[in-house]
Amino acid sequence: VREIGEFGLIEAIAEALPDAVRCGPALRLGVGDDAAVFDVPVGESLVVTTDAMVDGIHFRTDWIDWRSLGHKLLAVNLSDLAAMGASPVGATVTLALTGSERVADLRELYAGLGELAARHGVAIAGGDVVRSPNAMVLDLAAFGSVDPARMLTRGGARPGDAIVVSGILGASAAGMALLEAEGSAAMTAEALIAAHLRPEPRVALGRMLFEHGVTAAMDLSDGLLGDLPKLLGRSGVSGEIERDRIPVAAAVRALFPARWFDLAIGGGEDYELLMTVPPDQFEALALNAANVGSTLTTIGRIVPGDAGALSIVEADRSRRRIDRGAWDHFG
Amino acid sequence: VREIGEFGLIEAIAEALPDAVRCGPALRLGVGDDAAVFDVPVGESLVVTTDAMVDGIHFRTDWIDWRSLGHKLLAVNLSDLAAMGASPVGATVTLALTGSERVADLRELYAGLGELAARHGVAIAGGDVVRSPNAMVLDLAAFGSVDPARMLTRGGARPGDAIVVSGILGASAAGMALLEAEGSAAMTAEALIAAHLRPEPRVALGRMLFEHGVTAAMDLSDGLLGDLPKLLGRSGVSGEIERDRIPVAAAVRALFPARWFDLAIGGGEDYELLMTVPPDQFEALALNAANVGSTLTTIGRIVPGDAGALSIVEADRSRRRIDRGAWDHFG
């Protein structure tokens, strides 16, 4: 940042964005005025989310390249929009910089952000660059639109619904574990590391859930055991999941023979979608999910009971109740 | 923050918000889901802005009380919406916390934020709380709506337009100077300090500018000499302002006999509106501005010339060109 004064920095970095991202169809007014102006489709509501990432806490610049960091900053927010069934529209970015960052790296950050934004029709409409000598903090606010009659909340799960997840769980956590261990460079390891560095927000999947009968949805950022109780709580129901049904990559099982299940249910940062759906609608939903590249797996069911209560059905069919935050005590 | 785990913290703090702010008329879905959902009035566009504040850079907690800090975090963003002629609708808040903050202080922050939000019909729709051990960073994204045919940009100033500011300039900078000097506790000093700690965003003023012929507008956050050239540049015109016409509080002149003019034109954080308007429309505009509590002053005029060029007309009618960023060299 020393290379360019604070004035003009955002413009210099923003040049790394693809043109499509600087002037998306909904963007009336972008970088350079007091605020950005967007159009929201008639009849749709505005959906807003924000997620911040702190250097040393949420990422380490010796583990993640700047381009992946930009991708991830936007991906974690688009994942929230996906979980609402919303179409992403735009985003603003706040960079709190220590002053020792290199402009070339910040341009890489924006390039990674811009690539993902272009794929999802998201316009990056400026933001704020501030000085923060003691910590680099990246914050992004993403907004999208959804027909309010078709939006997906966490609150609609009903007893009898299947509990379903997209994709595989634990790959991101396994990737982080490999980075921590400076692990193998095998292809399988690289795929897991990529899952951690460059998660794919399930935007197209999110948009089709409502019409296929999904009753509640959220994205998996804190791990299944952290997130599922929130959905159960908001819906006022209980849930049970089966150990043998949790989708886990073979590579995760092979590389982490002792830890794979903990990584899958507690590791976090999967950015897959967790949803509930009446069982008779699952097959059509899964078929259509496959068309947008997502595999769906039924991992359990909604049952009547205390709001937020979760049980695991073990391989021997024994059940145990999971207390929120208590998973560390299990083997 | 140690008093409450990260889970539940945002809910605990959010209790300090007035009810009206947690469920504003436009808010369909607030804190507790993957994202917040708002309605934007039919026919209006979405206006989005974000401004961050870093502990030790933008504020010092030994100078500002937490309630004022919350007020200011929202005020600086509403000021940007005001400059677009937009009506504020909602905001999301990101708190990057070191962990040594007290929950009671964070609740005060939210109380100050909530008071201002309630006055302007802004719903606070959650946000993100993250750990940032080395620096507290507060970021807010505010959004509003405006009829796109009536929005105000920085780009419409035309030669012949009067250059106009609301309120008085330099009060905030003088207030900060008094805080730095641990200055007088006289009433006048307190008013200046309040101008610094609790600026009033000119939302009602911003919303009436378009219908009174204002051609360009922006808010004054970096000081007149920092901001006016941006408006001139975006409009492709030059401007000249007259030293004797800059509105400065008598208290600022009295307390800072050597520095008052520098504070007024270079001090920043005024959060007044800067606008251009055909001279024959100024009187009606000023009359209506008075109805919403704002005094308007013509301080100069738009002239043909290099885009962004600014001159000052001195008391002896001599002109000098101001080079951007070069004001420090003047007496």
Side-chain angles (χ1 to χ4, degrees):
Chain A
V1 175
R2 290 200 198 97
E3 300 168 37
I4 302 185
E6 195 168 307
F7 184 87
L9 175 64
I10 191 85
E11 287 83 356
I13 302 169
E15 283 171 15
L17 295 174
D19 281 346
V21 167
R22 283 188 281 173
C23 51
L27 187 64
R28 269 183 191 269
L29 187 67
V31 177
D33 217 292
D34 292 278
V37 181
F38 285 86
D39 288 335
V40 173
V42 174
E44 302 213 342
S45 291
L46 171 68
V47 185
V48 184
T49 188
T50 182
D51 248 328
M53 297 170 63
V54 180
D55 187 10
I57 301 293
H58 302 90
F59 62 90
R60 285 178 46 172
T61 52
D62 52 340
W63 287 356
I64 190 167
D65 60 288
W66 288 86
R67 189 172 282 247
S68 295
L69 184 59
H71 173 106
K72 192 163 181 176
L73 178 64
L74 180 58
V76 301
N77 281 285
L78 294 188
S79 183
D80 280 319
L81 296 184
M84 304 298 295
S87 301
V89 171
T92 58
V93 184
T94 296
L95 307 176
L97 302 174
T98 64
S100 61
E101 298 83 3
R102 296 187 320 142
V103 171
D105 289 337
L106 296 174
R107 290 173 65 98
E108 275 292 292
L109 179 94
Y110 261 57
L113 205 156
E115 275 172 12
L116 184 64
R119 278 200 279 129
H120 290 286
V122 173
I124 305 297
D128 197 14
V129 179
V130 295
R131 206 154 49 93
S132 173
N134 298 319
M136 179 168 68
V137 179
L138 312 175
D139 193 18
L140 189 140
F143 33 98
S145 67
V146 70
D147 175 348
R150 297 160 59 89
M151 74 182 181
L152 294 161
T153 71
R154 298 176 177 179
R158 294 167 302 194
D161 285 352
I163 300 174
V164 173
V165 294
S166 65
I168 52 170
L169 305 185
S172 171
M176 192 171 83
L178 291 170
L179 287 167
E180 281 172 338
E182 298 179 26
S184 153
M187 275 306 291
T188 49
E190 285 192 359
L192 299 178
I193 290 172
H196 181 67
L197 298 184
R198 292 185 294 281
E200 276 303 322
R202 303 303 178 193
V203 173
L205 177 62
R207 290 168 60 178
M208 69 169 49
L209 299 183
F210 182 85
E211 62 184 314
H212 287 97
V214 166
T215 52
M218 70 183 296
D219 81 320
L220 286 169
S221 54
D222 294 338
L224 184 64
L225 285 200
D227 288 327
L228 179 52
K230 295 175 195 164
L231 185 149
L232 299 173
R234 294 280 285 192
S235 294
V237 296
S238 296
E240 55 183 37
I241 56 176
E242 297 184 37
R243 176 184 283 262
D244 288 349
R245 290 189 172 206
I246 309 293
V248 184
V252 176
R253 294 176 198 254
L255 288 164
F256 299 92
R259 289 174 60 199
W260 65 266
F261 190 68
D262 286 352
L263 291 172
I265 65 172
E269 296 213 80
D270 293 301
Y271 300 108
E272 296 291 348
L273 295 184
L274 170 67
M275 67 205 82
T276 57
V277 65
D280 59 356
Q281 304 210 45
F282 174 79
E283 195 176 320
L285 171 64
L287 207 63
N288 281 278
N291 288 336
V292 296
S294 279
T295 305
L296 299 190
T297 306
T298 294
I299 60 169
R301 68 198 65 80
I302 300 296
V303 294
D306 296 342
L310 176 63
S311 300
I312 288 197
V313 181
E314 299 291 345
D316 63 6
R317 309 308 296 169
S318 69
R319 261 180 188 71
R320 57 175 161 181
R321 173 88 170 250
I322 305 300
D323 293 321
R324 192 183 288 197
W327 183 251
D328 291 346
H329 305 301
F330 289 84
Chain B
V1 174
R2 288 200 200 99
E3 298 168 38
I4 302 188
E6 195 168 306
F7 183 86
L9 176 63
I10 190 85
E11 288 83 357
I13 301 170
E15 283 172 15
L17 295 174
D19 281 345
V21 167
R22 285 189 279 174
C23 52
L27 187 64
R28 270 184 190 271
L29 187 68
V31 178
D33 217 291
D34 291 279
V37 181
F38 285 86
D39 288 336
V40 173
V42 174
E44 302 215 340
S45 292
L46 171 68
V47 185
V48 184
T49 190
T50 181
D51 249 326
M53 297 170 64
V54 180
D55 187 10
I57 301 291
H58 302 90
F59 62 90
R60 284 177 46 171
T61 51
D62 51 340
W63 287 356
I64 191 167
D65 60 288
W66 289 86
R67 189 172 282 247
S68 295
L69 184 59
H71 173 107
K72 193 164 181 175
L73 179 64
L74 180 59
V76 302
N77 281 286
L78 294 188
S79 183
D80 281 319
L81 296 185
M84 304 298 294
S87 301
V89 171
T92 58
V93 184
T94 296
L95 308 177
L97 302 175
T98 65
S100 60
E101 298 83 2
R102 296 188 318 142
V103 170
D105 289 337
L106 297 173
R107 289 173 65 98
E108 274 292 291
L109 179 94
Y110 261 56
L113 206 156
E115 275 172 12
L116 183 64
R119 278 201 277 130
H120 290 286
V122 173
I124 305 298
D128 197 14
V129 178
V130 295
R131 205 153 49 93
S132 174
N134 298 318
M136 178 169 66
V137 179
L138 312 175
D139 193 18
L140 189 142
F143 32 99
S145 67
V146 70
D147 175 349
R150 297 160 59 90
M151 74 182 181
L152 293 161
T153 71
R154 299 176 177 180
R158 295 166 304 192
D161 284 352
I163 299 172
V164 173
V165 294
S166 65
I168 52 169
L169 305 185
S172 171
M176 191 170 83
L178 291 170
L179 286 166
E180 280 172 338
E182 297 179 28
S184 150
M187 276 305 291
T188 49
E190 285 192 359
L192 299 177
I193 290 172
H196 181 68
L197 298 184
R198 291 185 295 280
E200 276 302 322
R202 303 304 178 192
V203 173
L205 177 62
R207 289 169 61 179
M208 69 168 50
L209 298 183
F210 182 86
E211 62 183 314
H212 287 98
V214 166
T215 53
M218 71 183 296
D219 81 320
L220 286 169
S221 53
D222 294 338
L224 184 64
L225 285 198
D227 288 327
L228 179 52
K230 295 175 195 164
L231 185 150
L232 299 173
R234 294 280 285 191
S235 295
V237 295
S238 296
E240 54 183 37
I241 56 175
E242 299 185 35
R243 176 184 283 261
D244 288 349
R245 290 191 174 204
I246 309 293
V248 184
V252 176
R253 294 176 198 254
L255 288 164
F256 299 93
R259 289 173 61 198
W260 64 266
F261 191 68
D262 286 352
L263 291 172
I265 65 173
E269 296 213 80
D270 293 301
Y271 300 108
E272 296 291 348
L273 295 184
L274 170 67
M275 67 205 81
T276 58
V277 66
D280 59 356
Q281 304 209 45
F282 174 77
E283 196 177 319
L285 171 64
L287 207 63
N288 281 279
N291 287 337
V292 294
S294 279
T295 305
L296 299 190
T297 306
T298 295
I299 60 169
R301 68 198 65 81
I302 300 297
V303 294
D306 296 342
L310 176 62
S311 300
I312 288 197
V313 180
E314 299 291 346
D316 63 6
R317 308 309 296 169
S318 68
R319 262 180 185 70
R320 56 175 162 180
R321 172 88 170 248
I322 305 299
D323 292 322
R324 193 183 287 198
W327 183 252
D328 291 345
H329 304 303
F330 289 85

